């Protein structure tokens, strides 16, 4: 089974106790406006299990000290917890070494780091950076900034009306001047799963490095850096059941070692004089200043939480919810699905004739149903799909068919309220 396949053949949803999983997430038992919370915005940020909340509060209650600095026991324990989280994240991503895991503020910062530290020194006027039409603004704007600084150009691989990447066209855009391919593993607005291994093989055949934006895949798929063969992989803790403010950049050691520091300050140096400074080894070279220690420890707890689950059963459960949602939504009069690729995960966008997505989301909110409405930080993709905005329901390991039923009931109310 390819590492990116969300639908394992022997589906075992019966073994997956979603109600037990839901009990791990205290927020899900909340009521909103007297109604049970129906949280269908996990692609924006996921909810947090008690284990993550406890890890963060335990650190502040009993373990708080700065890392990498103290020689006293509390600081040594904080350092061990922080570095232990790095090892667990490396194992979770199947990265060859924990030295290749840099903690950042999130996917956005990880991509900016690669743009400025890896790519900028390598770009000459007329060089090209290859993206796709389905990228999040975080995987467009950092490249625009570095292109403006160097005279490089963006090239964009097309997608079909279903939201499927045209891999042949992407291959044809790889050329002598291509310096990097940067691509989402899973589209946050369409849910499309891109064939990362194929794309990496195509790019590497021409010696071109690949960055994978894994913001939407890390929570759903068993990410496998070794199988992907990518050079960089970026993801965000808050989308994978961990705290906000923390992200990960995996980078191949050989490349990280060549890259200059991204920010200067404490903790990233080997020595400092007024004349000259030298840099710490990777990954510290890229972690200037006091990091979000509690956040990283919380991410470690999130990774432990995910790893303790049967990921195949989770994937089968999520695939079942997505199929159910797509089927039920398509039956609602006036609804058109946006994003109908063959291989998808956990996101269903839609538009409804006569109702703006913001109106839909506002009316659903009165029923305690949380969905996202807007361009989802993918304005070029919205233009490609011919819509200014969509409504988007997104799912996670705690989503249920009852959540989908509440969404459908809410849409019936939207139709009544708006006289459709
Ligand atoms: C595909 C994708 N890339 C990048 C990002 C940016 O992530 P963050 O805001 O956590 O840095 C997101 C967030 O929605 C995303 O969905």
């Amino acid at each position: 089974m390819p590492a990116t396949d969300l639908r394992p053949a022997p589906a075992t949803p019966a073994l997956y106790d979603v109600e037990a999983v839901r009990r791990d997430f205290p927020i899900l038992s909340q009521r909103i406006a007297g109604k049970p919370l129906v949280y269908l915005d996990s692609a924006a940020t996921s909810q947090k299990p008690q284990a993550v909340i406890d890890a963060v509060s335990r650190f502040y209650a009993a373990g708080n000290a700065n890392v990498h600095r103290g020689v006293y026991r509390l600081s040594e324990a904080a350092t061990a917890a922080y570095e232990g989280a790095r090892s667990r994240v490396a194992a979770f991503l199947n990265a060859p070494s924990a030295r290749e895991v840099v903690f950042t503020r999130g996917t956005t910062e990880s991509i900016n780091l690669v743009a400025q530290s890896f790519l900028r020194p390598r770009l000459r006027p007329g060089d090209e950076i290859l993206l796709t039409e389905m990228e999040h603004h975080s995987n467009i704007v950092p490249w625009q900034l570095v292109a403006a600084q160097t005279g490089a150009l963006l090239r964009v691989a097309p997608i079909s009306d279903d939201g499927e990447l045209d891999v042949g066209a992407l291959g044809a855009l790889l050329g002598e001047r291509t310096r990097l391919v940067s691509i989402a593993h899973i589209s946050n607005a369409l849910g499309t799963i891109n064939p990362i291994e194929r794309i990496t093989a195509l790019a590497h055949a021409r010696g071109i490095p690949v960055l994978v934006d894994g913001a939407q895949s890390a929570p759903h798929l068993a990410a496998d850096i070794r199988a992907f063969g990518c050079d960089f992989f970026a993801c965000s803790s808050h989308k994978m059941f961990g705290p906000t403010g923390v992200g990960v950049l995996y980078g191949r050691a050989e490349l990280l070692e060549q890259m200059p520091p991204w920010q200067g300050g404490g903790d990233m140096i080997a020595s400092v004089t007024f004349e000259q400074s030298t840099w710490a080894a990777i990954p510290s070279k890229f972690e200037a200043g006091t990091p979000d220690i509690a956040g990283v420890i919380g991410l470690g707890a999130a990774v432990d939480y995910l790893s303790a689950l049967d990921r195949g059963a989770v994937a089968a459960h999520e695939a079942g919810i997505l199929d159910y949602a797509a089927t039920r939504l398509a039956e609602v009069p006036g609804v058109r699905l946006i994003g109908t690729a063959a291989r998808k995960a956990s996101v269903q966008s839609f538009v409804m004739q006569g109702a703006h997505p913001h109106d839909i989301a506002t009316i659903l909110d009165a029923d305690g149903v949380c969905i996202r409405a807007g361009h989802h930080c993918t304005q070029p993709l919205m233009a490609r799909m011919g819509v200014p905005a969509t409504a988007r329901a997104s799912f996670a390991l705690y989503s249920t068919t009852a959540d989908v039923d509440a969404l459908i009931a809410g849409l019936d109310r939207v139709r009544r309220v708006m006289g459709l």
Side-chain angles (χ1 to χ4, degrees), residues 43 106-108 136 138 186 188 213 215-216 236 238-239:
T107 304
T108 303
H136 188 280
S138 292
I186 297 180
N188 67 304
D213 170 354
Q216 294 297 338
S236 296
H238 72 97
K239 293 188 197 286

Side-chain angles (χ1 to χ4, degrees), residues 299-362:
L299 171 60
V303 158
D304 288 346
Y305 180 83
L306 276 171
S307 304
L309 295 170
D310 175 342
R311 302 292 307 272
V314 171
H317 171 77
E318 291 187 11
I321 298 292
L322 180 62
D323 280 348
Y324 181 67
T327 306
R328 295 287 318 268
L329 281 167
E331 290 164 2
V332 177
V335 162
R336 179 162 66 89
L337 302 184
I338 306 289
T340 48
R343 297 189 65 237
K344 285 194 48 174
S346 296
V347 167
Q348 188 59 62
S349 273
F350 61 95
V351 290
M352 192 176 193
Q353 204 167 19
H356 190 279
H358 282 140
D359 294 332
I360 298 174
T362 305

Side-chain angles (χ1 to χ4, degrees), residues 82-83 86 89-90 93 95 97-107 109-110 113-114 232-235 246-253 256-257 259 262 281-288 291 296 299:
Y82 182 83
E83 292 302 329
R86 192 190 309 276
V89 168
L93 298 175
S97 163
R99 292 168 62 236
E100 297 175 302
V101 170
V102 178
F103 288 123
T104 63
R105 280 195 305 121
T107 304
E109 189 172 79
S110 297
L113 194 168
V114 175
F232 297 103
F233 182 90
C235 60
V246 173
V248 171
L249 173 67
Y250 160 81
R252 234 167 10 94
L256 290 180
E257 270 157 5
M259 288 158 56
W262 138 255
I282 63 167
S284 300
K285 181 170 72 171
F286 299 106
E287 293 180 8
V296 165
L299 171 60

Side-chain angles (χ1 to χ4, degrees), residues 3 29 34 55 93 129 152 157 162 176 199 209 218 245 279 302 313 357 362 377 390:
S29 55
L93 298 175
I129 305 159
D162 285 335
E176 289 301 307
I199 293 163
W279 316 134
T362 305
C377 298
T390 73

